[in-house]
Amino acid sequence: MKLKTLIHRNIRKKVYRAFRFNPIVEKLDAMLHHRNVLPFPEIGLRIPVTGRDVLIDCGANVGDVTSRMAKTGATVYAFEPDPHAYAVLARRFSLMQNVRCLNRGVMAQPGMLDFYLFGSSAKDAIDSSVGSSFVQEKNATHSGGVVQIECLDFSAFVQSLAQPVAFVKMDSEGADVEVLNRLIETGAIDRIEHILVETHETQIPALAEGMAALRQRIAAKGLEEKIRLDWM
């Protein structure tokens, strides 16, 4: 790639991010485009939501799904472990009183865990943040560094809330199998109306067996309508 083209691309990216992730722009966007449904046109899903509901974005990254949630006026909890993505997320929604951003991992058990940053994070920490993971296998050929991240027991968090959760989007980069099994085992699943999950067995083959067993468990308990495993 020619140097001039690369420079122009980087400038356009910076201008776009400065505008799209601006907290004032996000606030105005939410005010102008308030909605009573949470749309996922990518998979033909629409969830009715009111301002009294609770929504949770697990693995929010820079907050594109969080932004959809925020427009409903519901209380939104956005969890993001990657420190670079979280910095953007927290600033982007700093003027939104209904959005609470947390720099924590969502797990089956609480504790401090190693978080493996994607190898090219030094070049573009934001773009690379989608490849970071708690699963070392996913980043076995990369070396973006390791940071310690505080994690919470997601089931305990759900049970600690004063009201049920209308919707959860889960993209926990490999922890989804353990977290979902824990939700079922503790009964916390009964306090969640809908869960949309991005699975990672194709990127992390070691998860395939556990995900297959989880799919069988979900089917056996009749939870297919509650737990969708087809998020992108």
Side-chain angles (χ1 to χ4, degrees):
M1 183 182 297
K2 294 182 179 180
L3 178 60
K4 185 176 181 179
T5 301
L6 181 61
I7 292 174
H8 286 170
R9 178 177 294 182
N10 287 337
I11 291 174
R12 289 196 300 270
K13 183 186 293 185
K14 288 181 180 180
V15 171
Y16 169 79
R17 288 176 176 174
F19 174 80
R20 188 64 193 92
F21 302 149
N22 185 287
I24 296 176
V25 171
E26 192 66 44
K27 178 73 171 179
L28 290 174
D29 190 29
M31 293 172 62
L32 293 172
H33 299 99
H34 177 80
R35 51 174 69 121
N36 295 319
V37 295
L38 180 58
F40 291 92
E42 302 92 336
I43 57 173
L45 179 64
R46 290 168 61 87
I47 304 294
V49 177
T50 74
R52 298 183 299 276
D53 286 326
V54 172
L55 311 175
I56 304 178
D57 192 354
C58 300
N61 198 255
V62 295
D64 289 344
V65 172
T66 301
S67 183
R68 302 186 199 185
M69 293 179 171
K71 290 179 177 62
T72 66
T75 297
V76 180
Y77 293 92
F79 293 93
E80 175 51 46
D82 186 284
H84 305 295
Y86 176 76
V88 176
L89 178 76
R91 181 174 181 274
R92 181 176 180 178
F93 296 98
S94 59
L95 299 181
M96 304 288 290
Q97 294 184 349
N98 64 316
V99 180
R100 305 173 189 181
C101 300
L102 300 96
N103 185 204
R104 295 185 185 179
V106 170
M107 290 289 167
Q109 301 292 338
M112 301 295 294
L113 289 178
D114 287 339
F115 187 71
Y116 301 91
L117 301 175
F118 192 68
S120 60
S121 61
K123 296 179 180 179
D124 191 321
I126 303 304
D127 281 351
S128 299
S129 63
V130 296
S132 300
S133 177
F134 285 105
V135 181
Q136 187 175 13
E137 178 187 346
K138 183 177 181 182
N139 288 332
T141 61
H142 303 286
S143 181
V146 181
V147 293
Q148 284 260 306
I149 298 295
E150 182 180 356
C151 300
L152 53 75
D153 177 343
F154 187 60
S155 293
F157 176 79
V158 169
Q159 291 173 320
S160 73
L161 297 174
Q163 66 186 85
V165 179
F167 181 83
V168 174
K169 185 225 83 182
M170 186 174 294
D171 180 6
S172 298
E173 294 298 333
D176 316 287
V177 172
E178 292 183 4
V179 172
L180 288 168
N181 276 318
R182 176 75 171 165
L183 286 171
I184 294 171
E185 290 162 5
T186 63
I189 193 70
D190 297 331
R191 291 179 54 81
I192 303 174
E193 293 182 31
H194 302 279
I195 305 179
L196 180 59
V197 184
E198 178 177 347
T199 66
H200 298 84
E201 64 269 33
T202 56
Q203 301 102 319
I204 310 173
L207 299 175
E209 184 177 350
M211 180 55 68
L214 176 62
R215 289 179 187 275
Q216 292 180 352
R217 187 177 195 182
I218 290 172
K221 290 185 173 293
L223 295 173
E224 297 101 324
E225 300 238 341
K226 179 183 290 241
I227 305 174
R228 288 188 55 163
L229 303 175
D230 57 348
W231 180 234
M232 303 159 48

